[in-house]
Amino acid sequence: MLIDSFDEMNGRPGSAEVRPPYASLRKWLDDTSAETFDARRDQAEHFFRRVGITFAVYGDNESSERLIPFDVIPRVLMKSEWDFLERGLKQRVTALNAFLADIYGPQECLRAGIVPSDLIFQNPQYRLEMKDVAVPHNIYVHIAGVDVVRVGENDFYVLEDNARTPSGVSYMLENREVMMRLFPELFMSHRVAPVENYPDALLATLRSVAPIRQSRDAVVTLLTPGRYNSAYYEHSFLADKLGVELVEASDLFVKDDVVYMRTTQGPTQVDVIYRRIDDDFIDPLAFRPDSVLGVPGLINAYKAGNVTLANAIGTGISDDKAVYTYMPDIVRFFTGQEPLLQNVPTWRCREPDSLSYVLDNLGELVVKEVAGSGGYGMLVGPHATKAEIEDFARKIRHSPEGFIAQPTLSLSTCPTFAASGVAPRHVDLRPFVLSGSDEIRIVPGGLTRVALKEGSLVVNSSQGGGTKDTWVLDGGS
Amino acid sequence: MLARTADSLYWVFRYTERADFVARTLDATVRLASLPQAYLGKGNEWESAVASASDLDLFKTLYATANEDTVRDFLAFNPQNPSSIRNCLQTARENARSVRTALTFEMWEALNGAWLELKSFDTNMNREEFSRFLDWVKRVVLVFDGAAYRSMLRNDAYWFSRLGSAVERADNTARILDVKYHLLLPESEWVGGSLDYFQWTTILREVSAVTAYHWVYRQSVKPWLIADLLILNRQMPRSLANCYEILVRHLDLIAEFYGRRGPSQRLASATLNRLSSERIERIFGNGLHEFVEDFITTNNKLGAAIAEQYLN
Amino acid sequence: MRLQITHETRYTYEQPARSIMQILRLTPRNHDGQHVVRWRIEPGAEGKLTSGSDHFGNIVHVFSADESVQDLAIVAVGEVETSDVAGIVRQAVERVPDGCYLRSTISTEADEAIRAFAEKQRDGAGRTLPTLHNLMEAVHGAIRFDRDPTSTSTTAAEAFALGLGVCQDLSHVFIAAARHLGIPARYVSGYVLPPEGVVMQQAGHAWAEGLVPDLGWVGFDPTHLTCPTPSHVRVAIGLDSSEAAPIRGSRRGGGGETMAVRLTVEPAPGGQYQRQE
């Protein structure tokens, strides 16, 4: 089924009109020969393979290191569009942090009835260990990857607030790098806002949230589950760009509530840990006892205020799919403003009226599992077979509280290379929002993910999605 | 730096060095085996290649006989042999991947590229293809080493990588001597006559020193001079003395940088002092084999001391 | 009743283990019906012992050994005075909102079978207390005490399917079922005075608590089919056994380990019968 959606280049699909930000890109597409594009795409693939940008696909032993397909046609935003997005993102992330500080502190939003308290208390992502723990500088989500989709010229929706350990920023950086290598002339004719300062911004953010102590530069490390993790490339890439040690759990130990790393010169105290390990696995003495990826005693050191974890423990409650549905009210309550970015209208299956509506209209809805991520526990109604719909209906009836449903959004499309030539494909956008004790930093753009299959709305790399370079055109018409 | 990072770097360089050594051993052995039977001694050159470049006991559990096919397979490709070229490159690359940030882009590209290319070789090669394969392995290690030399910061990371290379080299050279010492003993000159000439040059080839020998000694190949070159000559990059000069220098740099000396500095300089005061005649007098065995033990002790002091 | 308790947990490692760190939830607190007369934790190795409390309000000691050890005994020893409060827990430290105790965990998730089982225990008039009593009886009947087939990581669903288990498993099933019925429930680890003639016990005890409107938290011991009596000493609570576990530890090296518990719970000598000579 083809959905009539906004096209980033043409406005309406198939229209001959070309939107201003794409004007000279259109010409470039027309003027460049197919052979040149083929050659450049080969070079891009070669580049990604040589630098080792790969990701692991779970349960896929054969090709445990795979490339995410890269599409050479950039996705373009005008400066004015970006400025609006940036304001909306800052507002949203400010609200997320205030919300977390509140539910782990005074819980005013629960008393005010903004969010039902059972939704918080019964959610395993609400970490009881964190209640009344003072996190350094009162910031919880230092790095957020907010998934935004566009459905019209001026309509941007937030699909998900990834507030745990969002990934993908290395692709944002490497996509730009490869584009600049392959098409230097494009960057002469377009004034594209740079993204290469992201590592600097990240490091400044991390340093700004170190526990307050005297006369020593904060020691920052990046904690990875290890080289078998699907995002390991990104972890090592970022550590390298930040100039900080990439540590595994075995490199760290805790003594007297202080975290140290083992170095060739003996133990060195660690102040800030940019951790890319989930809460559940980060400390076997506090959370899952079977975790071999964690640092025993880390949570005690954290609660003693001797180390900053970025992101904080327990941020998963704020990007929970059930809590998501309350985000507009959360933004209003904590910022006193109307939300700039919209929330996708959502039916909560835990509410009986919504449940019956959802079950009656499965064919038109996107149904998501509240606990799921990565596009696995998901039904895209218009693209599902009858059997798939029936199967999902059974799951929903079985535990309605585990599901939410949303209308099938017509994600915008962007010209993309397909087997048949250049064709529109659906895209989303993940900008990365950095919250420090001093300011909120966002580099212009983010990671554009593209569903490479015709008509597909699932952009996840684990489900065959690709990526594009994302341009914010400075001074564009 | 992280102890684990230093450890991985150290092993990246040990394994690439080992891959190069195994390749040179195979190269020299193929050459030796291609001589007419009349030029060969009694021993099995294939078996002795396994003994010096790997583990003969392990080999015997996997193959019935040692010949060109089985030894080539074992030393170059067999995944069950931890020191096969394939495994050396894989282990080096895995270590490199786990400390990707400690490597320069050029080094990573050299190793990762080699690993990807390795998969494209068909293991079923004729002699010519195999010889090209061995050249490729040597080139990979050259490129990797050159990348390290040209692109790494001169800090502890670099010094630990030099330690890895030097400990491994010393071990490799000592292994050749351990397996082939009997060919260098004085009596074999009379017993074998010119027959042993090809065995001797094989030894030189295994340490890439055929030309170097002539430059240093300016005379025909003599077994005690080969021993002198491999053990005591400081100009020779794979001699035990040269390896220990490198070890002492880099351990000193580390100690100075960290402001603290330890057991590995003491062990390395004691061994270098011993090598500096030795004469080849005295080594033969006291027993070449005993000397080599003793050296291998000492070298292993140094490896353990470095690990204990810095890498755990 | 005055109870005297000595609880030794001994770990033996194949090789010396380094960096041993243990989280100990081995210290009872005061509340109505329970008064701690004296209590001590004695680690059998040099190291640092600090104390604090966790998010449930349990008293937690953290022990970090200084050196490698191959053999480590942790001893908790003390005396507790108890009285009959019909299993109702009042004046205990409560830190977690009641609603959190409706959360299911890996080991207390109610599967289809437990949900169906739970539904059958509902009181006809919808009252909580009788429902929990029904549930306690039903769990006691559904799972036969057997040490062999289950381990510390067995889930409620697995134990229920087996029909066999220890006090931990019975408590998990009770909790899973209660939460399914919308009743906040939690896990309790502690001690119990053994029947006459038994001196040495190989493990501590565990039971459950359910939240009853207007009454508060009430204990249910499905293993012994009773609400806690003065024979019970309540030590730690949690959403499931892993959170109330007496000891959670980590170490580097050491290879395999064996653990042996020696526990005695007995009436304190003289306590009740002191008289002038």
Side-chain angles (χ1 to χ4, degrees):
Chain A
M1 168 175 163
L2 251 179
I3 299 162
D4 188 26
S5 38
F6 178 77
D7 188 78
E8 304 264 343
M9 180 158 77
N10 300 120
R12 273 176 304 109
S15 156
E17 172 209 2
V18 176
R19 294 178 61 242
Y22 281 85
S24 68
L25 210 59
R26 168 82 259 179
K27 190 167 163 354
W28 170 72
L29 280 173
D30 293 340
D31 292 351
T32 311
S33 70
E35 293 75 37
T36 306
F37 275 125
D38 285 347
R40 294 291 179 274
R41 276 153 55 207
D42 284 350
Q43 284 168 3
E45 169 154 356
H46 185 69
F47 170 83
F48 286 127
R49 227 174 251 294
R50 293 299 280 202
V51 301
I53 301 195
T54 53
F55 75 105
V57 181
Y58 291 117
D60 182 359
N61 292 330
E62 188 46 40
S63 54
S64 70
E65 290 172 30
R66 233 162 54 179
L67 279 185
I68 295 185
F70 171 70
D71 185 72
V72 298
I73 305 176
R75 188 264 185 91
V76 190
L77 293 165
M78 274 184 290
K79 178 85 165 56
S80 54
E81 294 169 336
W82 172 254
D83 287 345
F84 169 76
L85 271 178
E86 188 180 72
R87 280 201 310 280
L89 290 165
K90 284 185 173 172
Q91 180 193 51
R92 185 127 178 151
V93 171
T94 302
L96 285 176
N97 271 310
F99 169 67
L100 286 162
D102 184 53
I103 59 168
Y104 287 118
Q107 301 186 333
E108 278 162 21
C109 73
L110 302 184
R111 267 198 296 280
I114 302 298
V115 183
S117 47
D118 66 327
L119 198 68
I120 305 296
F121 294 154
Q122 291 183 39
N123 193 318
Q125 292 300 327
Y126 179 64
R127 301 289 175 181
L128 303 173
E129 292 81 354
M130 292 299 291
K131 180 75 174 71
D132 297 324
V133 171
V135 307
H137 307 276
N138 216 22
I139 297 171
Y140 287 78
V141 183
H142 310 87
I143 300 116
V146 182
D147 289 345
V148 177
V149 298
R150 182 179 205 173
V151 298
E153 182 92 51
N154 298 309
D155 293 321
F156 292 92
Y157 284 87
V158 172
L159 216 51
E160 268 178 40
D161 303 281
N162 295 289
R164 302 175 205 194
T165 56
S167 64
V169 79
S170 59
Y171 295 97
M172 172 184 90
L173 295 166
E174 293 285 48
N175 288 353
R176 177 62 54 82
E177 182 66 30
V178 75
M179 284 300 285
M180 294 186 81
R181 281 196 193 194
L182 297 182
F183 303 106
E185 73 280 8
L186 270 184
F187 290 86
M188 301 298 286
S189 56
H190 294 83
R191 293 173 61 188
V192 182
V195 293
E196 67 196 34
N197 54 331
Y198 177 82
D200 280 352
L202 176 57
L203 187 61
T205 301
L206 294 171
R207 282 187 187 284
S208 80
V209 293
I212 299 144
R213 70 175 84 249
Q214 69 287 32
S215 73
R216 181 164 66 79
D217 268 354
V219 175
V220 178
T221 64
L222 197 161
L223 175 62
T224 173
R227 71 189 106 144
Y228 300 108
N229 184 270
S230 63
Y232 182 73
Y233 170 78
E234 174 155 306
H235 306 161
S236 66
F237 174 89
L238 281 177
D240 199 21
K241 297 281 175 195
L242 293 170
V244 305
E245 295 292 355
L246 177 66
V247 297
E248 297 176 12
S250 62
D251 297 320
L252 299 179
F253 68 95
V254 176
K255 193 167 164 50
D256 298 343
D257 286 347
V258 173
V259 183
Y260 297 93
M261 61 178 164
R262 300 173 210 276
T263 77
T264 50
Q265 296 181 78
T268 302
Q269 186 175 349
V270 173
D271 304 297
V272 181
I273 301 176
Y274 174 22
R275 50 101 176 198
R276 296 290 297 259
I277 295 182
D278 292 343
D279 290 357
D280 272 337
F281 295 95
I282 206 162
D283 179 352
L285 291 179
F287 302 113
R288 284 182 63 151
D290 55 343
S291 170
V292 292
L293 305 172
V295 183
L298 181 60
I299 294 304
N300 283 345
Y302 182 51
K303 287 166 83 169
N306 291 331
V307 69
T308 300
L309 296 180
N311 291 346
I313 299 293
T315 54
I317 187 67
S318 70
D319 69 8
D320 181 83
K321 288 190 177 73
V323 172
Y324 164 88
T325 64
Y326 296 91
M327 274 309 286
D329 288 334
I330 289 173
V331 171
R332 283 184 203 104
F333 186 77
F334 289 105
T335 68
Q337 302 161 354
E338 271 306 298
L340 294 169
L341 301 176
Q342 306 182 58
N343 234 40
V344 182
T346 305
W347 289 274
R348 304 166 187 134
C349 299
R350 69 206 305 266
E351 295 163 7
D353 290 355
S354 301
L355 175 63
S356 63
Y357 177 85
V358 169
L359 289 172
D360 289 346
N361 294 279
L362 275 180
E364 285 126 54
L365 298 172
V366 175
V367 186
K368 294 175 180 174
E369 216 172 325
V370 173
S373 69
Y376 288 104
M378 190 167 160
L379 174 84
V380 181
H383 293 204
T385 64
K386 224 175 144 214
E388 284 167 344
I389 288 179
E390 276 166 17
D391 185 46
F392 230 82
R394 252 196 311 279
K395 285 197 214 168
I396 298 170
R397 267 189 222 103
H398 181 265
S399 53
E401 66 286 350
F403 295 90
I404 57 164
Q406 296 168 336
T408 313
L409 279 193
S410 47
L411 272 58
S412 62
T413 55
C414 185
T416 302
F417 274 105
S420 55
V422 177
R425 290 289 182 268
H426 295 290
V427 294
D428 79 349
L429 176 67
R430 177 177 289 184
F432 294 89
V433 185
L434 302 173
S435 303
S437 65
D438 46 356
E439 58 174 312
I440 298 181
R441 300 170 173 89
I442 316 179
V443 301
L447 176 66
T448 293
R449 298 186 297 177
V450 51
L452 294 171
K453 261 186 287 177
E454 184 172 6
S456 168
L457 293 166
V458 185
V459 296
N460 303 59
S461 54
S462 53
Q463 307 277 295
T467 66
K468 285 170 168 291
D469 191 14
T470 309
W471 290 4
V472 173
L473 280 190
D474 212 350
S477 41
Chain B
M1 66 190 301
L2 283 181
R4 179 176 53 84
T5 306
D7 185 60
S8 292
L9 271 175
Y10 173 87
W11 283 103
V12 167
F13 281 81
R14 284 202 72 158
Y15 275 105
T16 47
E17 187 66 34
R18 193 173 300 174
D20 181 60
F21 170 63
V22 176
R24 279 183 284 106
T25 303
L26 275 165
D27 201 21
T29 311
V30 169
R31 251 184 112 111
L32 182 65
S34 64
L35 291 173
Q37 192 56 44
Y39 291 84
L40 292 171
K42 295 178 291 295
N44 180 339
E45 63 278 5
W46 290 109
E47 198 167 293
S48 109
V50 173
S52 59
S54 182
D55 180 344
L56 194 55
D57 293 337
L58 174 66
F59 178 85
K60 284 179 175 164
T61 66
L62 296 171
Y63 305 90
T65 54
N67 57 36
E68 180 166 359
D69 286 344
T70 56
V71 171
R72 260 171 51 166
D73 180 65
F74 179 71
L75 288 183
F77 304 113
N78 196 325
Q80 285 169 275
N81 171 13
S83 297
S84 69
I85 290 172
R86 181 191 179 282
N87 272 6
C88 284
L89 290 179
Q90 182 177 16
T91 313
R93 191 249 184 190
E94 282 295 307
N95 270 293
R97 194 163 124 81
S98 74
V99 292
R100 174 67 192 81
T101 54
L103 265 58
T104 63
F105 177 76
E106 290 80 359
M107 292 163 72
W108 168 249
E109 210 180 17
L111 260 192
N112 191 45
W115 172 242
L116 295 172
E117 210 175 328
L118 178 67
K119 294 184 197 161
S120 68
F121 281 99
D122 181 356
T123 56
N124 200 2
M125 304 175 189
N126 62 31
R127 268 200 178 168
E128 193 188 323
E129 289 162 339
F130 189 65
S131 143
R132 274 207 298 274
F133 167 74
L134 295 178
D135 280 345
W136 173 81
V137 174
K138 287 186 267 182
R139 209 162 49 242
V140 161
V141 178
L142 272 178
V143 170
F144 177 70
D145 239 17
Y149 179 74
R150 294 179 66 98
S151 62
M152 276 181 95
L153 289 174
R154 270 16 180 204
N155 58 14
D156 42 356
Y158 182 74
W159 302 328
F160 281 112
S161 65
R162 291 294 100 192
L163 295 185
S165 294
V167 169
E168 183 67 26
R169 266 191 183 189
D171 182 65
N172 294 340
T173 301
R175 281 164 158 278
I176 298 175
L177 288 165
D178 191 35
V179 172
K180 303 197 168 173
Y181 73 96
H182 58 277
L183 296 167
L184 300 174
L185 294 178
E187 52 267 36
S188 65
E189 194 190 1
W190 304 304
V191 175
S194 69
L195 211 68
D196 280 338
Y197 173 84
F198 298 101
Q199 299 282 2
W200 297 335
T201 50
T202 300
I203 295 176
L204 287 175
R205 225 179 284 286
E206 285 175 341
V207 294
S208 304
V210 180
T211 315
Y213 177 91
H214 294 287
W215 276 104
V216 172
Y217 299 103
R218 299 186 183 278
Q219 55 174 300
S220 59
V221 178
K222 305 275 188 339
W224 59 89
L225 292 181
I226 293 177
D228 183 66
L229 184 72
L230 264 55
I231 297 170
L232 299 178
N233 191 295
R234 291 210 183 186
Q235 299 171 22
M236 160 64 196
R238 287 192 175 78
S239 74
L240 304 185
N242 183 277
C243 290
Y244 267 75
E245 218 169 62
I246 292 170
L247 286 167
V248 166
R249 189 182 327 137
H250 290 95
L251 280 166
D252 281 351
L253 284 166
I254 291 168
E256 199 182 319
F257 189 60
Y258 293 166
R260 188 182 295 180
R261 294 177 70 82
S264 42
Q265 277 81 10
R266 287 195 292 278
L267 258 175
S269 61
T271 306
L272 181 62
N273 290 342
R274 187 175 164 206
L275 290 167
S276 308
S277 59
E278 272 298 358
R279 288 285 163 274
I280 199 66
E281 297 77 14
R282 201 158 56 217
I283 291 177
F284 275 87
N286 294 336
L288 175 62
H289 193 221
E290 290 71 14
F291 175 87
V292 171
E293 283 195 321
D294 184 46
F295 176 86
I296 290 175
T297 310
T298 309
N299 193 52
N300 287 341
K301 261 190 211 146
L302 177 64
I306 291 171
E308 175 67 29
Q309 197 174 335
Y310 297 112
L311 310 180
N312 286 335
Chain C
M1 187 183 287
R2 200 163 170 134
L3 296 169
Q4 183 175 284
I5 297 156
T6 308
H7 178 195
E8 180 196 272
T9 312
R10 181 176 291 275
Y11 295 90
T12 311
Y13 310 109
E14 282 170 7
Q15 293 120 35
R18 290 168 289 143
S19 311
I20 292 177
M21 187 185 288
Q22 294 185 325
I23 308 286
L24 314 173
R25 288 182 177 83
L26 282 170
T27 307
R29 293 191 92 132
N30 295 337
H31 49 77
D32 283 3
Q34 176 166 307
H35 174 72
V36 181
V37 180
R38 57 179 177 85
W39 200 267
R40 230 169 48 244
I41 303 285
E42 296 168 353
E46 290 299 305
K48 189 167 175 171
L49 187 70
T50 57
S51 78
S53 66
D54 69 9
H55 47 286
F56 292 107
N58 300 316
I59 294 178
V60 177
H61 289 85
V62 179
F63 173 68
S64 311
D66 291 339
E67 307 282 342
S68 301
V69 291
Q70 197 161 355
D71 182 272
L72 175 62
I74 303 286
V75 179
V77 56
E79 230 171 82
V80 178
E81 176 92 53
T82 59
S83 60
D84 195 350
V85 289
I88 302 168
V89 184
R90 289 208 177 96
Q91 300 299 316
V93 177
E94 297 292 351
R95 295 229 175 116
V96 167
D98 295 339
C100 296
Y101 292 107
L102 282 168
R103 216 187 254 197
S104 79
T105 65
I106 295 171
S107 36
T108 59
E109 188 151 336
D111 65 353
E112 195 86 51
I114 292 181
R115 284 198 295 265
F117 166 78
E119 290 296 342
K120 283 186 248 159
Q121 318 309 328
R122 275 190 203 276
D123 171 59
R127 293 163 307 168
T128 304
L129 193 61
T131 301
L132 290 173
H133 277 285
N134 293 347
L135 189 57
M136 174 166 69
E137 264 182 62
V139 171
H140 183 81
I143 300 180
R144 190 160 54 78
F145 190 88
D146 187 337
R147 239 185 274 280
D148 292 336
T150 61
S151 72
T152 51
S153 57
T154 303
T155 65
E158 289 163 355
F160 188 73
L162 274 173
L164 300 168
V166 295
C167 55
Q168 170 180 312
D169 303 305
L170 280 102
S171 305
H172 279 163
V173 172
F174 180 94
I175 292 164
R179 288 180 189 156
H180 169 73
L181 298 174
I183 306 168
R186 65 193 184 190
Y187 187 93
V188 183
S189 73
Y191 304 112
V192 69
L193 180 70
E196 201 88 23
V198 177
V199 180
M200 189 64 69
Q201 304 180 62
Q202 267 86 51
H205 190 47
W207 58 95
E209 285 171 2
L211 187 65
V212 180
D214 303 325
L215 209 53
W217 288 99
V218 180
F220 292 88
D221 181 349
T223 311
H224 295 137
L225 196 55
T226 174
C227 286
T229 65
S231 297
H232 287 71
V233 173
R234 187 176 174 274
V235 178
I237 56 169
L239 291 174
D240 60 24
S241 63
S242 75
E243 295 188 323
I247 301 181
R248 283 177 74 161
S250 72
R251 60 191 159 94
R252 274 164 73 84
E257 74 175 30
T258 52
M259 187 193 84
V261 172
R262 294 161 59 85
L263 169 66
T264 56
V265 180
E266 51 199 356
Q272 292 167 348
Y273 304 108
Q274 264 181 9
R275 57 176 78 153
Q276 197 170 12
E277 290 291 304

